[in-house]
Amino acid sequence: MPTNDLRETLPLVYENKARIADRFYQAMFRLAPETRAHFMGGFGKQKAVFAKLIVRIAQSADDPGALEEIAREMVAAHRRHAVTVEEFRIAGLALAEALEVCLADSLVPEQLARWTTVAGTLVQRMIDLSG
């Protein structure tokens, strides 16, 4: 019986990290085409960073201090690109869509709900820190 421990989903998420990253950026650019301006050049490195972030989220899901550290790092990294609160909100919607589309057929509903909750909490904290 699966639990709400996101670490159990790491093999599946790792296997699908490229699809999740692709879907995230597709959704973000569809929801906010102006965000493309933040990305000059290719996405190879950015997608690798995104995949590492997903793994860190899974590993840190039950540690509020670790999630706080991730949120602070993300806000600091995006500050130099002048990412707005609204763009963080859009990124949260894009992440939720990417997780749903790429993982819904492979995770039980409770696991997918846990991913959505943790990702939403992290994005909200990023919004709070940048607002």
Side-chain angles (χ1 to χ4, degrees):
M1 174 100 185
T3 68
N4 279 339
D5 187 347
L6 293 188
R7 290 173 292 195
E8 288 181 3
T9 68
L10 276 174
L12 176 69
V13 170
Y14 187 81
E15 179 181 312
N16 288 284
K17 68 181 186 258
R19 282 183 58 226
I20 296 168
D22 286 340
R23 187 58 183 229
F24 169 77
Y25 289 109
Q26 288 169 5
M28 189 168 60
F29 297 152
R30 185 186 73 249
L31 295 167
E34 69 278 6
T35 60
R36 273 191 194 275
H38 294 301
F39 300 92
M40 301 300 173
F43 284 106
K45 182 180 178 187
Q46 186 60 36
K47 286 180 184 178
V49 169
F50 183 87
K52 287 180 184 178
L53 173 64
I54 295 294
V55 170
R56 279 186 71 199
I57 291 170
Q59 293 170 331
S60 305
D62 294 320
D63 181 349
L67 287 175
E68 176 72 13
E69 181 180 332
I70 292 170
R72 289 183 181 282
E73 288 172 10
M74 294 297 296
V75 169
H78 288 86
R79 188 167 283 134
R80 69 176 176 260
H81 301 291
V83 173
T84 67
V85 167
E86 180 62 14
E87 289 169 334
F88 279 129
R89 189 188 70 72
I90 290 165
L93 295 172
L95 178 55
E97 179 180 315
L99 293 170
E100 172 73 29
V101 168
C102 296
L103 301 178
D105 292 340
S106 304
L107 298 178
V108 298
E110 295 81 11
Q111 289 172 319
L112 186 58
R114 178 74 170 130
W115 263 107
T116 302
T117 298
V118 170
T121 299
L122 180 63
V123 170
Q124 185 57 54
R125 187 63 186 133
M126 291 166 60
I127 290 168
D128 294 345
L129 290 167
S130 64

